[in-house]
Amino acid sequence: MHLRLGQIFHSHLGATDRAIDEWVAVLSEGADVEDAVAALERLLSERTIPGWEGVAARVCDVLHPRFRDTGEWKREVAVLTVRGQLASSDRDKAAFLRMAGERLETRGNAFEAAFDAYAESFRLFPEDPAAESGLARAAESLWRYVEWADALAEAAPLASPPTAVRLLIRLGELAQTRLDDASRAMDAYERVLMLEPHHLAALAALDALYAA
């Protein structure tokens, strides 16, 4: 009954919130669950619904824990992607993108897509160590060192000074060891000194690069 009521509320009465109530009731009862889940998923693509953003956020909050617990990683990633688009702050958007990257990496072995999700998350909120480490893992596995360096360079100005120093040191090391780009390494280390003039590692690295 709940499944059919949901269809009536949504398709004939335009009462989408009431439809969601009915379909969520199906999930709690355990019968016709997949039909209810599919109906909820369809709402995520029906962007012309009045108040779609609120509807989609509610649906995502219902479906995300379900897909997480059932291990349906592709469906979970789709939900996380929509939820990230709806987030009101860069920090929240970054968190959803980072979670999507984690699912793509650990459950889907989809390393290219994971790299892209981690990189976007990291650029939005460089202070998240999980996004930073995920990006590093994906970059190493794919040899996408140039894109990794680009992400570090773009993220550093958005980070707090201590984080920016650490990211720029990593950029300098990456430019030296993976890109063989002395000019880019020097630029990174010089940017470190602008933030922390007595940074010993940056000073030592620059001395060696200037002398080369």
Side-chain angles (χ1 to χ4, degrees), residues 29-44:
E29 291 182 352
D32 300 316
V33 166
E34 186 53 38
D35 289 337
V37 169
L40 289 165
E41 283 182 298
R42 282 193 293 272
L43 293 177
L44 298 181

Side-chain angles (χ1 to χ4, degrees), residues 9-200:
F9 278 128
H10 176 54
S11 300
H12 300 288
L13 302 179
T16 305
D17 282 335
R18 293 288 300 278
I20 294 173
D21 290 339
E22 297 299 329
W23 289 328
V24 170
V26 173
L27 302 185
S28 64
E29 291 182 352
D32 300 316
V33 166
E34 186 53 38
D35 289 337
V37 169
L40 289 165
E41 283 182 298
R42 282 193 293 272
L43 293 177
L44 298 181
S45 61
E46 296 180 16
R47 295 177 180 246
T48 58
I49 297 171
W52 176 81
E53 290 83 359
V55 167
R58 184 181 174 196
V59 169
C60 288
D61 291 344
V62 169
L63 292 180
H64 174 223
R66 178 177 182 81
F67 293 151
R68 180 195 62 212
D69 294 344
T70 59
E72 296 173 273
W73 66 269
K74 289 183 180 179
R75 298 170 92 177
E76 184 185 2
V77 166
V79 167
L80 288 168
T81 300
V82 173
R83 194 65 185 86
Q85 294 167 354
L86 296 169
S88 58
S89 70
D90 285 347
R91 182 171 186 166
D92 288 341
K93 290 178 183 179
F96 288 116
L97 284 165
R98 188 251 304 152
M99 285 190 280
E102 290 168 348
R103 302 305 183 271
L104 288 161
E105 178 189 9
T106 61
R107 297 189 180 181
N109 292 321
F111 295 109
E112 292 282 357
F115 177 93
D116 292 338
Y118 284 134
E120 187 175 355
S121 174
F122 179 61
R123 285 185 172 99
L124 286 169
F125 186 63
E127 303 291 341
D128 182 0
E132 182 185 347
S133 61
L135 175 62
R137 287 193 307 274
E140 289 283 8
S141 68
L142 297 168
W143 289 33
R144 290 180 65 172
Y145 299 120
V146 172
E147 295 96 327
W148 183 14
D150 290 343
L152 289 166
E154 291 172 30
L158 304 176
S160 64
T163 299
V165 165
R166 181 171 52 75
L167 298 181
L168 290 168
I169 288 292
R170 190 162 203 179
L171 173 57
E173 293 169 348
L174 181 62
Q176 284 184 276
T177 61
R178 299 298 192 184
L179 303 180
D180 194 24
D181 188 339
S183 177
R184 189 165 196 177
M186 283 189 283
D187 179 70
Y189 294 132
E190 287 166 355
R191 289 170 65 187
V192 170
L193 295 183
M194 294 297 292
L195 294 168
E196 192 175 321
H198 302 291
H199 195 287
L200 296 180

